[in-house]
Amino acid sequence: MSGTKAALKAARAALDAHRYLDAAEQANKVLATDAHSYQANIFLGLALDKQDQNEASETAYKAATKIKHKDKSAWQGLVTLYEKQAGKKLDEYHDAAIRLAEIFMEVDDKTRCQSVVDKYTLDAKNYGSRTQYKHSLDILLPSSSIYDYLEGRIPQPAFTYSKIADIAEAEEKEKINTEIGQRRTRLGAKIDQVTSDVKLEILENSPLEDLYNSVIDWTHDDEVRRQYDEKLLQHAYETLVVLPIPRKAAKREQVQKLAAGLVILGHPFLLAWRIKLEWNDVEEINELDPGLLREFIELFPDNGFCKVLRGYLESDVSPFPNPVATSDKEAEEDADSDPISAEDRLILMSEGIEESTSSILAHRLMGQYYLHLEEHESAAAIARQGQDSISRDSNMSGLSLRHSLDAMNVILATALVQYQAPRHHPEAMELFESLLRRKPTEISALIGIGLILEEQENYAAAVDFLNRSLKRSSDPKIRAEAAWCKALNGDNEISLHELEACLPDMEGSDTRVKLLRSQTLYRIGMCIWHQDSSSKARKSRDGAYARFIASLQADLNFAPAYTSLGIYYADYGKDRKRARKCFQKAFELSSSEVQAAERLAQSFASSSEWDFVEKVAQRVVESGKVRQAPGSKKKAVSWPFAALGVVQLNNQDYAKSIVSFQSALKSSPTDYHCWVGLGESYHNSGRYIAATKAFEQAQKFENTSKDEDGTHSWFSKYMLANVRRELGEYDTAVTGYQEVLAIRPTEFGASIALLQSLVEGAWHSVELGFFGRAADAAREAIGIAQNVAKQRHDAFNLWKAVGDSCSIYTYVQAYASLLPAPDLRSLLESDINLDVYDLLVDIDGIGKSSLQFLANNSQDPIPSTILSARAAILAQKRAIHACANDLHARAVAWYNLGWTEHRAHICKDETKQLSKRKAQRYLKASVQCFKRAIELEAGNAEFWNSLGIVTTELNPKVSQHSFVRSLYLNDKNARVWANLGTLYLIQEDYQLANEAFTRAQSSDPDYAQAWLGQGLLAAQLADAQEARILFTHAFEIADSSSTLIKQQYATSFFDHVLSCPPTSSTSVLQPLFALHQLRSQISVDLTLQHLSSLFAERVGDFAEAASTLDFIASKLEAEYETSESPVTLMRFAQAKTDLARAQLAEQDFEAAAENAETGLSLSDYEDPENDVRQKIRLSAHMTAGLAYYHQGSMDPAIAMFRSALEETQGNPDIICLLAQVLWAKGGDQERDVAREQLFDCVENHPGHVDAIALLGAIAVIDEDRDTIEAVTSDLQNLRSQDSLDLQQQSKIAQVLTAIAVLFPDEKGQGLSKLSEATTAVMLAPSRPQGWSQLADMSEETYPAEMAVLTAIKAAPPGGSLDASDLCKAYAGTGRLDDAQRAVMIAPSLAQGWEALV
């Protein structure tokens, strides 16, 4: 014990001496022996504190507090320790400070107790977080253990609660923002939903409302109390907004109670007043407390709702009386305040509604006021906004607000009854019916439905609803409306008495009363008007007329009275001027006066005032009175849309006119004129298919048109013909124009359109290759032109069409003889000074003197083509004279004449030797024409292009300049690029030519001339393959009018055929057809005719080939007799040889032999080394030999073949032919020679199929087994080669099959034959010969079916199999349908008929 005391004294001394280490050591010694030593723990805690060992010091102090809990020393040490750490141990500091303060309270030491509290709260404020500071303030609240002891020394609870509330507010706001920021980034999160969820979680558990209540309870300051009343209400309201609807009731009651308290106190907190007023769901406005409303106005004079409320309360529509002054001061203030005018009131309320967009009551009051002013559009808009506000407030508060919603629906429906009636009647009817299901006696709904039914012409039902409303109201307006419905229902007499009975109740100076009286007087007048419809009664000025005047005396702005007066003046008063003024006045006052608008529009249209027509029609459309409401019996009005369509059509606004006519047709689907207008709009906008359908519909309703005499029904036929013409259906168009002319023979427009359609159809026929049809159409056009000229001989389009008709014959020269020259002469000489035709006569030589050539003059006949060209020039010169006063047409006329002159240059007679000047006269005239056109219209790219074409030969520099200028004006024109490329090609600048042609192809890939130019360039560069491909492509995409393309295509194709024979004769048909068309278009030279005959020979048309070659031979013979040219002699020899070959194919053997001999004799004089001579002589020898052979003249045949062998130096094909002829002659010597020739041929040409096959056939006949074995071996080796064609394969198979049958091996005859057939199938499964052989030897159907399938694939165009083989394949199946096909394919073969039997 003495040691413990000594240690404690030593520790105390060490502390006093500031030797804290020693003090701690001495204290630890004490604690080692006595762990419960209070003083030792305190000394240790202090010593460690001085050494900044805070954790150890805290442990020592806490140990001391446990030993003596009520002793202040240990607690003071702890508080000092925590205070020194500057907020690091605030939570522990809180407990220690409270305990120390309680100890001081127990010893009644208020000063030290307060000091501990003040230091702790200050420390928490300076160093702690908001939460820790808020926690420290709990010590100052009444709930604290020391509050009663220190009351008066610490702040008032209200102050402390307000501080805590401020901190809680900041924490809550921060937490809400943080959570929203974190959650809004989640996938699929929506900001509105995230905000609502976060606020619900935080506000529902918020302590703020309790804190606000505590402040309110403890404060003595009314201002502070009101401030926290506002905060409490705001917080409760925000919580209510985010709560789900099932949980809103309790919170809503709290919010309403708080708001009511503030309103009772008259506190100017807007939210409280808004809740009190907006959530007061009254059925009628008069149920509201007017004193409360006026108090609201006083408290919030600048609020938007206040402005609406103030204007409403001071208006006539307000149900509340003006307040009575209760004191002299109030009376004086009322006297000083000026009343608000109606205009200022409306402005005030409009400003207010813009500022209070969420106020239900403001929208309700504003809607009622707009209805009072009959501003139905504004009332409807306000009511819709009010519905949105009700929906929004209902969702926030959980209140149904049924009465407010009903009132808003009544405002909306009532406005929709009048606004753009009857457009919105279905919506209004639905709203009224919904209201009547809950409130069957609602007057507004009954009246509204009655008015809608009246508009729908359901007058009986309208009277019923209006009478039901009269049971609860005696309003004279409703009585008058019910009486008017009876009149509309046909009961004019009863209606007249009832309307007159209403007049005494309509006395007064109020504007609305005057309007009602005016309306009633007008309706009385209408009853009188319809009661007696006789002219005398209606003319009377004491009847309906007097009532209309009285109506206007009651109200000068009542529009229907003006309309009726206008009708009176127009139909009975015979005063159009007054009638028009009345209609104008009526329409100015009301756009709903459709009848007045129609009369007015008709008046404007008759004077061609189309701008006014458009304005009238547009205003009527915008009024909404023209459309039929769903379920309404009232017919829609179509004339405003039709009028708009006509005006827009005249203004070339076709898109709008289409819409207008479509709208008109929705109302009147059988209106003929609307269908015509729609079709014309479609036509002018390029929508020809739609235009066709529209005009076809119009023709269906021709008989329903108001034009009973049919004077206008022809127009739809005329326009339909125009559409057909635009679509390229020229025959249909011509028929249509002819139908129009049958109705109106003198209609110039239809006549000229018919003429142009014939000409355009002729050009189209030229493009399609129907040249005879084109010539017939041109001839018919000239005949039509004669009739047109009698009506109007100075029409430019007439003479242009005549010129084009004549030009067509220059494009179909085979039919140029059909030109009606006498008719043309009479046409050109009619009604004109012939000097007109001397235009440019000094250049082209075509003038009035040329007219004589159009007469039938056999003394000096002119080729029909030249005659057609001259007639075309004369017609185009007449066209220039016809358009002398039209600058643009004159430029076009010169342009047309230029091309006609150029065409005459192309068609000039090449057989006549002309001087250079005469040869180029048409070309020079063409240049002058294009220059004149350019002078008149220099910006036309086509004119420059034309000048470039005609100057290509005369002046290449001018030509290039012209093309470049044209491209400057339009660089996308493929024709100009192709023409420029042609110029470069002629000048041998191949690089520039290639670039120009490439640019043309890129501008228009379907322009054939560009590909032709590229092909000519390739041919010039000796690339025959590329040239052929390009010519073929050009031919495929070109129309039939191009002659050069056909020439180049046919020539290049024939060159290709010579080097690579086609697999099928059908591939030769296209160039043959091209040459046939060419012969119809131009005078084809003998070379192309010879080429045509060669193509005809290849497709098997031997008669055509022989006929053409005979003609060529006669021409060449005549030419040789004149010129005696060696070249002509060789061409003559070749023609004779080719003719002999064609005659041989026709089995005219005698003529074939004769012509072949002629060819041989003609070719004797040529150089033997000439390749052409060798080919001619070989063909002649072979033809003559075969001809003699078929005539039975073996010796001449053998001689010919021997000569062919000598000239060809042992050609194996000729050897085979010679062997066959020698064998056919029948002598042993000849047959031995045939064998020797074949053996030598096989030896020299081991792979020659024909020679080996012939040798095999001879061996079979001779029964020479050694030769048969050798032949069989060779043929077996040959048949596996892919280079063999079908004919060679068939020949090998036949020989091997014959050998197998006649000389079977050890397997037997049948198996050997079957083996050969199966081998043929195996080697060539895609060829029909093997399958046919197998089918003949087999009873199964499969081989025969395969033979048919492979034969179909091998037939043209897939292969070269001929018709006989295909016929045999079908005949081999044994089926009836296949036998019929066999007969159809080759009726001359017996196999098909045998299979059919």
Side-chain angles (χ1 to χ4, degrees):
M1 179 65 71
S2 59
T4 301
K5 289 182 177 180
L8 289 173
K9 287 181 180 181
R12 166 72 70 179
L15 288 171
D16 292 340
H18 303 291
R19 290 184 284 103
Y20 304 117
L21 186 61
D22 294 341
E25 184 179 351
Q26 294 300 324
N28 282 325
K29 286 181 181 181
V30 175
L31 291 173
T33 58
D34 185 4
H36 297 284
S37 174
Y38 178 72
Q39 288 296 332
N41 278 302
I42 289 177
F43 291 156
L44 178 60
L46 180 58
L48 293 172
D49 181 12
K50 296 299 181 180
Q51 296 179 54
D52 293 330
Q53 298 183 23
N54 298 330
E55 296 295 331
S57 174
E58 181 183 4
T59 303
Y61 281 134
K62 285 183 176 181
T65 60
K66 292 177 182 178
I67 296 171
K68 292 184 178 182
H69 185 65
K70 295 184 179 182
D71 189 80
K72 65 179 180 180
S73 299
W75 292 108
Q76 282 180 324
L78 269 178
V79 167
T80 303
L81 178 64
Y82 291 145
E83 185 179 350
K84 185 185 74 169
Q85 295 183 40
K88 292 183 179 179
K89 296 280 187 175
L90 275 176
D91 294 334
E92 292 83 354
Y93 190 2
H94 176 82
D95 297 335
I98 291 176
R99 182 57 192 149
L100 181 58
E102 289 174 349
I103 292 173
F104 285 135
M105 179 183 67
E106 292 171 0
V107 298
D108 194 21
D109 190 346
K110 291 184 178 181
T111 302
R112 298 177 72 181
C113 178
Q114 181 182 355
S115 176
V116 170
V117 172
D118 290 344
K119 287 182 179 180
Y120 165 62
T121 55
L122 182 61
D123 233 27
K125 180 179 180 181
N126 291 335
Y127 304 114
S129 63
R130 278 200 300 258
T131 303
Q132 290 173 329
Y133 179 52
K134 183 179 69 172
H135 185 50
S136 72
L137 293 177
D138 289 344
I139 200 172
L140 304 177
L141 295 178
S143 58
S144 172
S145 59
I146 63 172
Y147 173 78
D148 293 336
Y149 180 68
L150 293 177
E151 187 175 5
R153 286 177 170 267
I154 59 177
Q156 289 292 327
F159 178 78
T160 306
Y161 277 121
S162 65
K163 281 190 174 183
I164 296 174
D166 291 341
I167 295 171
E169 285 175 2
E171 288 180 339
E172 191 172 276
K173 183 177 181 181
E174 183 179 346
K175 186 175 182 182
I176 289 173
N177 292 335
T178 302
E179 287 294 321
I180 291 174
Q182 290 176 352
R183 298 188 188 184
R184 67 182 297 180
T185 59
R186 295 176 182 174
L187 188 64
K190 298 180 179 178
I191 185 62
D192 294 339
Q193 187 62 40
V194 167
T195 303
S196 178
D197 293 343
V198 170
K199 285 187 175 181
L200 177 61
E201 293 175 9
I202 296 175
L203 295 181
E204 194 175 18
N205 300 312
S206 174
L208 279 176
E209 292 186 22
D210 293 333
L211 291 172
Y212 294 150
N213 278 319
S214 297
V215 174
I216 294 168
D217 292 341
W218 282 96
T219 186
H220 301 293
D221 189 341
D222 287 342
E223 185 177 347
V224 174
R225 185 176 290 111
R226 298 291 82 79
Q227 177 187 352
Y228 279 90
D229 278 335
E230 291 179 5
K231 288 189 175 184
L232 178 59
L233 176 59
Q234 185 70 45
H235 193 277
Y237 176 78
E238 291 177 358
T239 306
L240 173 65
V241 168
V242 298
L243 281 172
I245 291 179
R247 292 160 53 190
K248 285 182 182 288
K251 181 60 72 173
R252 183 176 63 249
E253 290 179 7
Q254 176 193 357
V255 169
Q256 288 179 311
K257 183 178 179 182
L258 291 171
L262 289 173
V263 171
I264 291 172
L265 293 173
H267 181 64
F269 183 48
L270 184 60
L271 177 61
W273 287 87
R274 181 180 174 277
I275 291 171
K276 179 64 177 177
L277 296 176
E278 303 284 354
W279 292 7
N280 189 8
D281 189 27
V282 295
E283 188 171 359
E284 298 292 339
I285 294 297
N286 56 15
E287 297 178 21
L288 293 172
D289 183 357
L292 198 64
L293 298 177
R294 290 191 172 91
E295 186 178 358
F296 176 77
I297 294 173
E298 293 176 2
L299 292 174
F300 307 99
D302 297 327
N303 182 263
F305 176 38
C306 172
K307 295 177 182 179
V308 175
L309 187 58
R310 180 185 172 192
Y312 179 81
L313 292 177
E314 295 183 9
S315 68
D316 297 337
V317 75
S318 173
F320 305 115
N322 292 326
V324 180
T326 57
S327 64
D328 295 340
K329 184 177 180 181
E330 291 180 355
E332 185 178 351
E333 290 177 355
D334 292 342
D336 293 338
S337 61
D338 296 330
I340 303 176
S341 64
E343 294 78 6
D344 292 339
R345 182 185 302 116
L346 182 58
I347 293 173
L348 179 68
M349 296 179 73
S350 299
E351 292 177 355
I353 200 66
E354 290 178 1
E355 297 172 9
S356 55
T357 55
S358 61
S359 173
I360 298 173
L361 191 54
H363 284 87
R364 185 172 176 180
L365 299 178
M366 195 70 194
Q368 287 189 2
Y369 188 67
Y370 275 136
L371 286 181
H372 173 70
L373 297 177
E374 296 186 357
E375 293 289 340
H376 300 109
E377 181 180 2
S378 300
I382 287 296
R384 294 190 192 278
Q385 295 173 12
Q387 287 178 331
D388 295 338
S389 298
I390 291 172
S391 176
R392 187 166 52 250
D393 271 26
S394 180
N395 290 332
M396 289 191 301
S397 65
L399 292 169
S400 64
L401 302 176
R402 183 72 261 173
H403 294 315
S404 297
L405 183 60
D406 286 345
M408 207 67 72
N409 288 340
V410 167
I411 294 171
L412 175 60
T414 304
L416 293 179
V417 170
Q418 302 297 333
Y419 173 54
Q420 291 187 350
R423 177 185 294 180
H424 305 290
H425 281 181
E427 183 182 357
M429 179 69 83
E430 185 179 352
L431 291 172
F432 283 138
E433 289 176 345
S434 175
L435 183 60
L436 285 178
R437 282 194 289 269
R438 289 180 289 101
K439 298 179 181 179
T441 60
E442 177 64 37
I443 295 178
S444 300
L446 292 171
I447 295 173
I449 292 178
L451 295 176
I452 292 173
L453 292 172
E454 178 186 345
E455 180 69 25
Q456 294 176 353
E457 299 183 1
N458 191 354
Y459 303 119
V463 171
D464 178 58
F465 275 93
L466 292 173
N467 287 336
R468 285 169 60 185
S469 68
L470 287 173
K471 293 178 181 179
R472 299 191 62 192
S473 173
S474 60
D475 190 346
K477 182 177 181 180
I478 303 175
R479 287 162 50 204
E481 200 66 45
W484 177 240
C485 286
K486 293 177 183 177
L488 294 175
N489 201 30
D491 198 349
N492 289 299
E493 185 174 355
I494 295 176
S495 174
L496 178 61
H497 293 306
E498 291 184 359
L499 287 171
E500 289 177 342
C502 293
L503 285 176
D505 296 331
M506 298 177 182
E507 300 292 341
S509 59
D510 186 74
T511 304
R512 288 186 297 278
V513 174
K514 288 182 178 180
L515 174 62
L516 182 59
R517 182 176 179 81
S518 175
Q519 184 186 58
T520 305
L521 287 167
Y522 160 75
R523 289 175 173 178
I524 291 173
M526 292 303 297
C527 289
I528 297 173
W529 183 272
H530 291 294
Q531 204 170 16
D532 187 355
S533 60
S534 65
S535 177
K536 180 179 179 181
R538 290 189 173 182
K539 283 183 179 181
S540 174
R541 289 181 176 262
D542 297 329
Y545 174 80
R547 301 305 190 279
F548 296 148
I549 295 296
S551 173
L552 291 176
Q553 289 173 349
D555 186 353
L556 284 173
N557 295 323
F558 188 65
Y562 285 106
T563 301
S564 298
L565 276 177
I567 295 173
Y568 170 83
Y569 286 127
D571 297 345
Y572 301 98
K574 304 303 179 184
D575 191 342
R576 292 186 179 181
K577 187 175 181 180
R578 283 189 177 183
R580 182 166 179 172
K581 288 182 178 180
C582 289
F583 291 139
Q584 283 181 330
K585 185 65 176 178
F587 191 61
E588 287 174 5
L589 292 172
S590 174
S591 60
S592 299
E593 290 301 308
V594 179
Q595 192 174 8
E598 184 176 10
R599 296 277 190 130
L600 194 58
Q602 290 173 352
S603 175
F604 286 136
S606 62
S607 57
S608 299
E609 299 177 75
W610 295 109
D611 291 341
F612 292 112
V613 173
E614 181 180 17
K615 290 178 181 178
V616 171
Q618 187 64 45
R619 190 176 175 204
V620 174
V621 169
E622 291 172 355
S623 71
K625 290 286 185 179
V626 296
R627 298 187 185 276
Q628 183 180 22
S632 175
K633 296 179 182 178
K634 191 172 183 179
K635 293 183 178 180
V637 181
S638 63
W639 72 261
F641 295 107
L644 279 176
V646 171
V647 175
Q648 290 157 354
L649 188 60
N650 290 336
N651 294 335
Q652 299 183 0
D653 195 349
Y654 305 121
K656 290 183 179 179
S657 67
I658 288 171
V659 175
S660 296
F661 284 122
Q662 286 176 338
S663 300
L665 287 169
K666 288 179 183 178
S667 304
S668 301
T670 60
D671 192 319
Y672 167 79
H673 295 288
C674 288
W675 281 111
V676 171
L678 180 62
E680 191 171 356
S681 300
Y682 278 134
H683 171 264
N684 293 337
S685 61
R687 299 167 64 179
Y688 300 120
I689 301 300
T692 301
K693 295 179 180 178
F695 286 125
E696 288 174 349
Q697 285 293 113
Q699 290 183 347
K700 293 179 182 178
F701 305 117
E702 282 181 359
N703 297 329
T704 64
S705 173
K706 294 181 181 179
D707 303 311
E708 297 178 358
D709 57 353
T711 55
H712 296 292
S713 62
W714 64 272
F715 188 71
S716 61
K717 294 182 174 64
Y718 171 71
M719 289 302 300
L720 182 59
N722 286 341
V723 175
R724 299 292 190 189
R725 175 180 160 196
E726 295 289 351
L727 291 172
E729 301 174 11
Y730 299 106
D731 293 339
T732 310
V734 167
T735 303
Y737 291 130
Q738 289 172 344
E739 291 177 358
V740 173
L741 290 173
I743 301 172
R744 295 174 64 89
T746 60
E747 185 63 41
F748 175 75
S751 299
I752 202 71
L754 173 61
L755 177 59
Q756 290 174 324
S757 293
L758 287 168
V759 174
E760 291 172 9
W763 286 120
H764 188 61
S765 297
V766 170
E767 293 174 355
L768 295 178
F770 301 135
F771 304 123
R773 186 185 299 177
D776 292 339
R779 184 183 185 89
E780 185 178 357
I782 293 172
I784 296 294
Q786 287 182 296
N787 295 329
V788 177
K790 295 175 182 178
Q791 300 177 38
R792 186 175 168 186
H793 61 83
D794 58 346
F796 165 72
N797 288 333
L798 164 66
W799 299 109
K800 178 185 180 300
V802 172
D804 288 346
S805 299
C806 296
S807 295
I808 285 169
Y809 289 104
T810 67
Y811 287 88
V812 289
Q813 296 177 12
Y815 302 91
S817 58
L818 298 178
L819 178 74
D823 294 342
L824 267 174
R825 180 174 181 178
S826 63
L827 176 61
L828 291 170
E829 291 178 346
S830 62
D831 301 313
I832 191 65
N833 183 355
L834 298 182
D835 292 337
V836 169
Y837 297 116
D838 287 338
L839 185 68
L840 300 180
V841 68
D842 56 331
I843 301 177
D844 61 6
I846 304 297
K848 61 185 178 181
S849 59
S850 301
L851 290 169
Q852 63 181 340
F853 296 110
L854 294 175
N856 290 326
N857 187 357
S858 58
Q859 295 179 358
D860 187 16
I862 298 176
S864 298
T865 302
I866 304 300
L867 197 62
S868 300
R870 291 182 179 181
I873 292 173
L874 291 171
Q876 297 295 354
K877 289 182 178 181
R878 181 75 178 270
I880 293 176
H881 173 73
C883 62
N885 298 323
D886 188 337
L887 183 66
H888 175 71
R890 196 145 40 97
V892 174
W894 280 107
Y895 172 77
N896 294 335
L897 178 59
W899 276 121
T900 308
E901 297 275 9
H902 183 261
R903 185 62 189 172
H905 171 73
I906 293 175
C907 298
K908 63 181 182 291
D909 192 355
E910 300 289 347
T911 60
K912 294 184 178 180
Q913 297 295 326
L914 301 175
S915 64
K916 183 177 181 181
R917 180 176 176 278
K918 287 188 176 182
Q920 294 183 343
R921 58 178 180 169
Y922 296 124
L923 192 61
K924 291 180 179 179
S926 177
V927 172
Q928 292 301 317
C929 292
F930 290 132
K931 285 183 178 181
R932 294 280 184 89
I934 291 171
E935 289 174 1
L936 294 171
E937 193 175 335
N940 193 313
E942 290 297 328
F943 294 177
W944 286 101
N945 175 52
S946 304
L947 181 60
I949 293 173
V950 298
T951 55
T952 301
E953 180 182 350
L954 298 174
N955 193 331
K957 292 183 178 180
V958 173
S959 177
Q960 183 185 26
H961 170 75
S962 300
F963 290 138
V964 171
R965 182 65 180 173
S966 178
L967 290 172
Y968 172 77
L969 295 172
N970 180 14
D971 64 346
K972 302 296 183 183
N973 195 327
R975 289 180 297 171
V976 183
W977 283 110
N979 293 335
L980 182 60
T982 305
L983 174 65
Y984 290 141
L985 182 61
I986 294 172
Q987 300 301 319
E988 299 183 358
D989 192 337
Y990 301 137
Q991 182 178 354
L992 289 177
N994 180 61
E995 292 176 2
F997 288 132
T998 303
R999 185 68 181 270
Q1001 291 165 358
S1002 62
S1003 298
D1004 185 2
D1006 293 330
Y1007 185 56
Q1009 307 298 330
W1011 298 96
L1012 172 64
Q1014 201 77 288
L1016 292 171
L1017 179 61
Q1020 195 71 16
L1021 298 174
D1023 190 348
Q1025 178 69 11
E1026 180 68 14
R1028 183 185 63 81
I1029 294 173
L1030 291 168
F1031 291 144
T1032 302
H1033 180 68
F1035 176 77
E1036 289 172 349
I1037 65 175
D1039 55 43
S1040 296
S1041 62
S1042 177
T1043 57
L1044 182 59
I1045 290 177
K1046 294 172 185 174
Q1047 294 177 21
Q1048 296 299 326
Y1049 167 66
T1051 304
S1052 63
F1053 191 89
F1054 188 78
D1055 293 340
H1056 175 68
V1057 167
L1058 293 178
S1059 60
C1060 182
T1063 58
S1064 171
S1065 60
T1066 56
S1067 60
V1068 188
L1069 290 175
Q1070 274 194 331
L1072 179 60
F1073 290 156
L1075 291 171
H1076 279 181
Q1077 284 189 340
L1078 201 61
R1079 292 169 66 179
S1080 299
Q1081 289 180 271
I1082 59 175
S1083 298
V1084 180
D1085 59 15
L1086 296 179
T1087 303
L1088 289 176
Q1089 291 190 42
H1090 197 161
L1091 183 62
S1092 175
S1093 67
L1094 295 178
F1095 278 122
E1097 181 185 4
R1098 278 168 169 75
V1099 299
D1101 190 358
F1102 304 113
E1104 171 70 17
S1107 174
T1108 303
L1109 289 168
D1110 188 32
F1111 171 78
I1112 294 171
S1114 63
K1115 288 288 185 180
L1116 289 173
E1117 184 178 8
E1119 182 180 344
Y1120 178 71
E1121 289 176 356
T1122 304
S1123 64
E1124 296 185 356
S1125 168
V1127 176
T1128 304
L1129 181 63
M1130 283 303 299
R1131 290 177 61 191
F1132 180 38
Q1134 185 176 4
K1136 280 292 186 179
T1137 304
D1138 293 341
L1139 175 60
R1141 191 169 61 250
Q1143 291 170 336
L1144 175 64
E1146 281 194 295
Q1147 300 183 4
D1148 187 356
F1149 304 121
E1150 184 177 354
E1154 180 183 351
N1155 285 315
E1157 292 281 8
T1158 302
L1160 288 172
S1161 63
L1162 292 174
S1163 61
D1164 279 341
Y1165 305 102
E1166 188 63 30
D1167 182 8
E1169 301 298 326
N1170 191 320
D1171 292 339
V1172 176
R1173 174 186 180 276
Q1174 293 178 5
K1175 293 178 180 179
I1176 291 173
R1177 293 185 66 79
L1178 174 61
S1179 175
H1181 280 122
M1182 298 294 293
T1183 303
L1186 290 172
Y1188 286 133
Y1189 169 75
H1190 287 289
Q1191 286 179 335
S1193 302
M1194 297 302 173
D1195 292 334
I1198 293 172
M1200 287 294 174
F1201 288 134
R1202 289 187 182 279
S1203 298
L1205 275 176
E1206 293 174 0
E1207 293 194 9
T1208 59
Q1209 299 177 357
N1211 187 289
D1213 293 327
I1214 298 176
I1215 292 174
C1216 292
L1217 288 173
L1218 178 60
Q1220 292 178 59
V1221 173
L1222 290 171
W1223 190 270
K1225 190 174 181 181
D1228 292 338
Q1229 184 178 359
E1230 286 83 358
R1231 292 186 175 184
D1232 290 339
V1233 172
R1235 291 189 189 92
E1236 292 175 3
Q1237 290 287 342
L1238 288 173
F1239 277 117
D1240 292 340
C1241 181
V1242 170
E1243 183 179 354
N1244 296 325
H1245 306 280
H1248 197 269
V1249 175
D1250 291 343
I1252 298 174
L1254 283 174
L1255 194 59
I1258 292 173
V1260 169
I1261 295 172
D1262 293 341
E1263 296 183 0
D1264 186 352
R1265 291 187 175 272
D1266 294 335
T1267 304
I1268 288 174
E1269 290 180 2
V1271 167
T1272 302
S1273 176
D1274 289 344
L1275 290 178
Q1276 292 286 3
N1277 293 331
L1278 286 174
R1279 74 188 306 181
S1280 61
Q1281 294 181 6
D1282 296 333
S1283 59
L1284 301 181
D1285 57 22
L1286 285 174
Q1287 191 175 9
Q1288 292 174 330
Q1289 287 279 6
S1290 177
K1291 191 175 292 185
I1292 291 174
Q1294 290 175 359
V1295 173
L1296 290 176
T1297 302
I1299 292 173
V1301 171
L1302 297 175
F1303 300 96
D1305 54 14
E1306 60 275 4
K1307 297 179 182 179
Q1309 179 179 347
L1311 291 177
S1312 298
K1313 185 178 180 181
L1314 184 63
S1315 175
E1316 288 298 327
T1318 54
T1319 302
V1321 171
M1322 181 188 67
L1323 292 174
S1326 62
R1327 295 180 179 178
Q1329 286 79 7
W1331 292 105
S1332 297
Q1333 293 177 10
L1334 187 60
D1336 293 340
M1337 290 178 278
S1338 173
E1339 296 180 357
E1340 296 181 5
T1341 60
Y1342 180 74
E1345 292 174 356
M1346 285 302 300
V1348 172
L1349 291 175
T1350 53
I1352 292 173
K1353 292 181 179 180
S1360 58
L1361 189 73
D1362 57 21
S1364 60
D1365 290 330
L1366 183 59
C1367 170
K1368 292 174 183 177
Y1370 273 116
T1373 62
R1375 291 165 48 184
L1376 180 61
D1377 55 344
D1378 285 339
Q1380 292 173 339
R1381 293 187 180 94
V1383 171
M1384 181 189 69
I1385 291 170
S1388 61
L1389 292 183
Q1391 287 90 336
W1393 295 102
E1394 291 172 356
L1396 190 61
V1397 174

